[in-house]
Amino acid sequence: MSSPPLVSALDARTQMFPALTEAQIERIRSCGRLRPVHAGEILFEPGDTDIPFYVLLSGSMEILQPDHDGDHAIVSHSPGHFTGELTMISGHRCLVRGRVTSDGEFLELSAPDLRALVGRDAELSDILMRAFILRRLELIRRGLGNLILMGSRHSAATLHLRDFLSRVGHPYRYVDLDTDTISQELLDQFQVRVDEIPVVICQRRGVMRNPTIPALADCLGLNSNIDHRQVRDVIIVGAGPAGLAAAVYAASEGLDALLVEAGAPGGQASSSSKIENYLGFPMGISGQELAARATAQAEKFGAQMMVAHKVVRLDCGTRPYQLELDNGTRLAARAIVISTGAQYNKPKISNLQQFEGQGVYYGATFMESQLCEGQDVVVVGGGNSAGQAAVYLSQTVRKVYMLVRSSGLADSMSRYLIQRIEQNPAIELHYSTELTAVAGNGALQRVTWRNSVSGESSEREICHVFIMAGASPRTALVQGCLALDSKGFILTGRDLEANGSGPAWAHSRPPLLLETSVPGVFAVGDVRSGNVKRVAAAVGEGSIAIHLVHRALAEP
Ligand SMILES: Cc1cc2nc3c(=O)[nH]c(=O)nc-3n(C[C@H](O)[C@H](O)[C@H](O)COP(=O)(O)OP(=O)(O)OC[C@H]3O[C@@H](n4cnc5c(N)ncnc54)[C@H](O)[C@@H]3O)c2cc1C
C-alpha cells in the first residue's frame, strides 16, 4: 500500500492523529457509551478481535506494540484524540496494545457501531478513514505487524510471501539472510535448513518454515472474521478490478456481500506499475494502489473479504447457490458474481515475470508504442491481437519481429490484416518460431528465439517484447454449470442465444445483461465472453452486475 497522493506530506502527522471538535464528538456520543478508565488499564492487545473504538474525553493513553526486544511506542493520545486503524474497518485482528496512562473518561463505540457511523456521517468518515489508512501506512513503514519474515532475495518463495504481504497491506519486518549474519546464526541454532527458507515468526504460531500463502493468511487471522455458515445476498469470486467494483457497489447498496480471492486483491492490474488510461488519474496509478484503495472502500461499506482461498466449484443445482473452496469449506449465496479474470498465455520462460512492465508487455497501446519508438521489437503470437499489434507498432518502431509458433498466421485472422502484415516492410515474420529466453539487468536487454523446424536459435539485443498469445479464462470452477463460448469464456446476456457449449438459457424470462446461463449468476470482466481487457470496463461491469443482482434477488 503506498501513500495516497491526496494526503499532503506536510500535515500527514496531524491527519494521522487528529483531534476531533466538540461538535464531532457530540455526534459520536449519540451512538456510544461513557467508560471511566484508570491508569495501567489495558483496553486492547495485539490479536484481539472486534475491539471497541475510543474517543478520549479526559485522561490519556499510549499505543504501542510489544515485541521480543521491548515495546515499540507508536503514539500518546490526549483528549479529543481517537483510537483505531484499518483493522477497525476490516474486522481483522488488532495489531497494537492500548494502555491507559492517566485516569479519565473515554467514549466507547462497538466496532459494528463505528462502521455504521462511518457509513452515514460523511465528515467523520473522511477524518477516520484517512487517519486509519495513514496509521496503517506508518505501521507498514516501521514494520510493526507482529510478523518477522526471514528470507533471501534469491528465493522465489521469499518474493512470493513478500508480494502477498504487501498486497494485503500487512506490516512486517524483513530480515535479509544474505546480509544479516546474526540471524543466520540464529537459524543455525534452530536447525533451519536452506530449503526451509523463508522462515516466518508469527506472534501466535511461533516459527513457520517456508509457509504456504494460506498458512500465512491463517496465522495472521486474515479470514478469521468470516462466518462460513451465513447465507449471503451475493458472493463475488475474484478480487481483480471487476470483483472489487462489484464488492464496493454491493456493500454500498446494502447487500450482504462476501468477496473470495485465491491470492491477494488486485488481479492482473496489480502487475501493472502504472495504469495510465483509468479515468480520473491523469498522472496514472499503480495497480496495487488502485486495489488497496478499492479494498479499503469495499470494507468501509461493510463488504467482507476472504483471501488466499480458491473457489474450486460452483454448484448451481441448488438455490441458494453453493461454492466449494480449496479446503473443502462450502459457502452459500442467493446470487453469485464470477470475476475470476483470465490468465495471459505466456511462453514458458522462468524469468519472464521479472521483466513484466520492464520490456515485456501484454498490450500494445500508444503508451507502450512510445517507449520503443525507433527501436526493434518482438511481437509473440499469430492471432488477431498479435497482428493488430504488429501493424500498429510498425508505424513507430524500426522493425517488428513477429514470432508465430505455427507454420502460418491463424485462420481466424482477418484477410485485410494478413495482407497488411505480409506487405509491410517493417514486419519480419518468423513462422515455427518460439521465444526461448529473455535477459537483462533490471530491464529487458536481450531475447533469444528458436526455429522448431531448423532447430536454429538467434539472440538479439531487443528491449521490448509484446506477448499477444491469447488469454485463457479462469473458468475451471464453473465447468459443467455455466455455458461457455468456444474459447472457454463465460457467455452472458444475449450472447447466450447465439452460440456456445453446455447448457443454454432455458427460463421463461430473457437473461439479464451480464447474467450467465444460470439465473442469478453473473459474469464480469476478463472472464466474460466478449470482454475488452480494460480496467475501466471490468470496473463498469462489476457495478452494473450489482444493479442486476438486485433484480435477480427480487424475483420470487
Ligand atoms: C501487465 C498488465 C498490465 C495491464 N495494464 C492495463 C492498463 O494499463 N490499462 C487497462 O485498462 N488494462 C490493463 N491491463 C488489463 C487489466 O488488468 C484487465 O483487463 C483487468 O485486470 C481485468 O479485471 P478482472 O477483475 O476481470 O480480472 P483479473 O484482474 O484477472 O482478476 C481476477 C481475480 O480473480 C482471482 N481468481 C481467479 N480464479 C479464482 C478462483 N477460482 N477463486 C478465487 N479467486 C480467483 C485472481 O486471483 C484475480 O485476483 C493490464 C494487464 C496486465 C497483465
Side-chain angles (χ1 to χ4, degrees), residues 167 237-243 260-269 271-272 274-277 309-312 339-342 344 356-357 362 367-368 474 477 524-527 532-536 538:
R167 284 175 59 183
V237 187
V260 184
E261 165 56 49
Q268 295 166 58
S271 51
S272 174
K274 209 169 222 193
I275 299 168
E276 301 244 28
N277 55 358
H309 277 298
K310 190 172 178 173
V311 174
V312 290
S339 47
T340 46
Y344 287 92
E356 284 175 355
Y362 298 95
M367 199 178 67
E368 287 92 7
R474 291 204 188 94
L477 72 159
V524 293
D526 278 16
V527 76
V532 295
K533 300 183 182 63
R534 286 284 178 273
V535 172

Side-chain angles (χ1 to χ4, degrees), residues 5 45 91 102 117 122 132 185 190 220 224 235 246 265 273 321 329 335 349 379-381 405 407 428 438 541-542 551:
E45 281 281 15
S102 65
L117 178 72
F132 290 170
E185 282 163 18
F190 282 107
L220 296 174
S224 58
I235 294 184
S273 55
Y321 299 118
T329 307
I349 299 175
V379 170
V380 176
R405 196 170 51 173
S407 57
E428 192 174 298
V438 288
E541 289 183 16
R551 284 171 62 181

Side-chain angles (χ1 to χ4, degrees), residues 148-171:
I148 301 171
L149 169 61
M150 296 165 133
S152 157
R153 77 191 89 131
H154 307 296
S155 131
T158 303
L159 278 179
H160 198 42
L161 292 183
R162 296 190 75 182
D163 180 57
F164 175 77
L165 288 168
S166 76
R167 284 175 59 183
V168 292
H170 191 94

Side-chain angles (χ1 to χ4, degrees), residues 300-322:
K300 174 185 110 167
F301 287 121
Q304 285 199 309
M305 185 170 320
M306 178 184 277
V307 293
H309 277 298
K310 190 172 178 173
V311 174
V312 290
R313 200 168 78 86
L314 164 65
D315 178 354
C316 47
T318 53
R319 272 183 106 162
Y321 299 118
Q322 302 250 337

Side-chain angles (χ1 to χ4, degrees), residues 120-309:
R120 66 171 183 270
D121 190 317
E123 189 199 16
L124 282 171
S125 166
D126 267 11
I127 297 168
L128 300 183
M129 284 304 291
R130 188 176 296 132
F132 290 170
I133 289 172
L134 288 172
R135 290 173 187 185
R136 172 57 65 94
L137 291 171
E138 178 65 6
L139 293 180
I140 292 174
R141 191 185 66 77
R142 293 179 58 187
L144 298 177
N146 308 308
L147 188 81
I148 301 171
L149 169 61
M150 296 165 133
S152 157
R153 77 191 89 131
H154 307 296
S155 131
T158 303
L159 278 179
H160 198 42
L161 292 183
R162 296 190 75 182
D163 180 57
F164 175 77
L165 288 168
S166 76
R167 284 175 59 183
V168 292
H170 191 94
Y172 68 99
R173 222 163 82 205
Y174 178 60
V175 179
D176 187 348
L177 294 172
D178 301 320
T179 52
D180 191 309
T181 45
I182 296 172
S183 303
Q184 185 57 61
E185 282 163 18
L186 197 73
L187 290 184
D188 291 344
Q189 264 179 28
F190 282 107
Q191 297 178 332
V192 175
R193 298 193 314 264
V194 174
D195 61 350
E196 290 173 332
I197 286 171
V199 169
V200 170
I201 303 176
C202 184
Q203 194 206 24
R204 304 198 141 237
R205 293 264 177 95
V207 175
M208 301 169 84
R209 293 158 193 237
N210 195 4
T212 61
I213 296 286
L216 180 61
D218 199 22
C219 142
L220 296 174
L222 296 181
N223 300 318
S224 58
N225 57 335
I226 291 165
D227 180 359
H228 297 153
R229 292 155 307 174
Q230 193 177 326
V231 178
R232 294 185 157 80
D233 292 330
V234 59
I235 294 184
I236 301 149
V237 187
L244 285 165
V248 167
Y249 283 86
S252 67
E253 292 171 18
L255 295 179
D256 169 13
L258 171 69
L259 185 53
V260 184
E261 165 56 49
Q268 295 166 58
S270 288
S271 51
S272 174
S273 55
K274 209 169 222 193
I275 299 168
E276 301 244 28
N277 55 358
Y278 187 56
L279 190 73
F281 293 92
M283 312 304 287
I285 180 165
S286 80
Q288 286 198 21
E289 187 173 348
L290 190 66
R293 284 167 172 248
T295 304
Q297 199 174 7
E299 287 179 335
K300 174 185 110 167
F301 287 121
Q304 285 199 309
M305 185 170 320
M306 178 184 277
V307 293
H309 277 298

Side-chain angles (χ1 to χ4, degrees), residues 64 97 103 143 200 290 327 344 350 378 405 435 455 463 483 486 525 556:
L64 48 94
R97 173 182 291 165
D103 294 1
V200 170
L290 190 66
N327 60 359
Y344 287 92
S350 59
V378 165
R405 196 170 51 173
L435 188 72
C463 307
S486 58

